[in-house]
Amino acid sequence: MFKNKSYIGISFIILIFGIYAVPKIVDRISNGEVVKGNRLDNVGLKTSKSDGKLITIGPAPKFELTNQDNIKVSNDTYKGKVYVLEFFFTTCPSICPKMNLSMLEIEKTFFGNPNFGIVSITIDPKHDTPQVLKDHAKLLGVKSSNWNFLTGDKATIMDLSNKGFNLYAGENEKVSGGFEHSGLFALIDKDGNIRCRKDEFGNPNIYYDGLDKKGVRDIQEDIKILLAE
């Protein structure tokens, strides 16, 4: 008898849940609000949404280097454009392939927008000549004419990375590839200023993690904000 009452009680609870929840689930499906892949990526990740007000860190360091087509490219080339900047090298066996994939994702999102661009500066200019950079861009499948791969004087580039942007880059014979560097991306607005969002404590992040899905999502959100300014 008690066993039958238990079954009746459980059945009643299931019935109530169905009456309450099923219409909501059906409604979410019909409105396309079911959990999608990008939302699944957020599981377990601590996210901080931008409030639409990005911090201005200051003017980006000035540079003038040579791109994959042997053309001089400088800050002025990107005047009036929003762009993302990184330091890398083509023979990097560690973090660069992941950075390349992140940049390709960003390129795809904003492809065709004349007000957006990407700057990839090699820290191994001895090897990474304009032709090598051109071949590398082709290998990656780069399509944007506003994505410049830059090379030039080694000392100038190292100063630009370490002193200008404060993004570490250096030679180290003990590591694979002979160089080590930051995996962070800088975001520059139309006026040539470095911009960023705040963290959960209200402090500026300054740069975006090009090795992390959240970092890539964050910078794409903030590129949209700067393009709309």
Side-chain angles (χ1 to χ4, degrees):
M1 181 177 178
F2 288 111
K3 196 171 183 180
N4 290 336
K5 286 183 178 179
S6 296
Y7 286 142
I8 292 170
I10 292 170
S11 299
F12 180 74
I13 291 170
I14 292 172
L15 177 62
I16 294 299
F17 174 79
I19 292 171
Y20 173 78
V22 171
K24 291 183 178 292
I25 294 171
V26 172
D27 182 59
R28 287 188 68 197
I29 292 172
S30 65
N31 289 318
E33 295 177 356
V34 292
V35 175
K36 298 178 182 177
N38 63 332
R39 290 184 63 191
L40 286 172
D41 287 340
N42 285 328
V43 175
L45 290 176
K46 198 171 187 180
T47 59
S48 56
K49 291 185 178 179
S50 171
D51 59 3
K53 298 178 181 178
L54 302 181
I55 298 172
T56 300
I57 301 301
K62 293 194 177 297
F63 61 86
E64 184 179 68
L65 298 165
T66 304
N67 76 357
Q68 67 269 32
D69 295 314
N70 267 303
I71 297 171
K72 291 292 182 182
V73 171
S74 69
N75 304 70
D76 289 338
T77 306
Y78 286 88
K79 195 170 183 178
K81 291 180 173 61
V82 176
Y83 65 100
V84 179
L85 181 145
E86 67 171 347
F87 291 90
F88 86 115
F89 62 110
T90 62
T91 57
C92 173
S94 54
I95 65 174
C96 291
K98 175 61 177 174
M99 293 170 71
N100 289 161
L101 289 175
S102 295
M103 280 297 193
L104 285 168
E105 184 178 337
I106 294 170
E107 180 207 34
K108 183 179 178 181
T109 300
F110 299 98
F111 182 72
N113 191 323
N115 297 317
F116 175 74
I118 298 173
V119 175
S120 297
I121 303 175
T122 179
I123 59 171
D124 185 14
K126 183 177 180 180
H127 176 271
D128 292 341
T129 61
Q131 185 58 53
V132 170
L133 293 176
K134 192 177 184 71
D135 293 341
H136 185 71
K138 185 177 180 180
L139 181 66
L140 291 178
V142 171
K143 297 179 180 178
S144 174
S145 60
N146 283 332
W147 186 345
N148 284 292
F149 291 81
L150 304 181
T151 188
D153 177 70
K154 183 178 179 181
T156 299
I157 291 173
M158 288 300 185
D159 278 349
L160 179 65
S161 179
N162 291 300
K163 297 178 182 178
F165 282 94
N166 288 316
L167 291 172
Y168 174 70
E171 290 187 81
N172 187 344
E173 295 179 357
K174 296 180 180 179
V175 300
S176 183
F179 291 86
E180 49 189 5
H181 61 96
S182 167
L184 300 176
F185 295 163
L187 177 60
I188 296 99
D189 68 16
K190 297 174 185 176
D191 296 319
N193 294 311
I194 298 173
R195 301 284 292 276
C196 71
R197 61 172 57 193
K198 298 176 183 177
D199 64 18
E200 61 267 33
F201 303 108
N203 300 312
N205 283 328
I206 305 182
Y207 299 120
Y208 298 78
D209 190 348
L211 304 173
D212 178 69
K213 288 183 179 180
K214 178 186 178 300
V216 176
R217 284 194 297 268
D218 286 351
I219 199 169
Q220 289 184 91
E221 288 177 8
D222 294 349
I223 289 167
K224 291 176 185 177
I225 291 171
L226 294 184
L227 285 172
E229 286 188 346

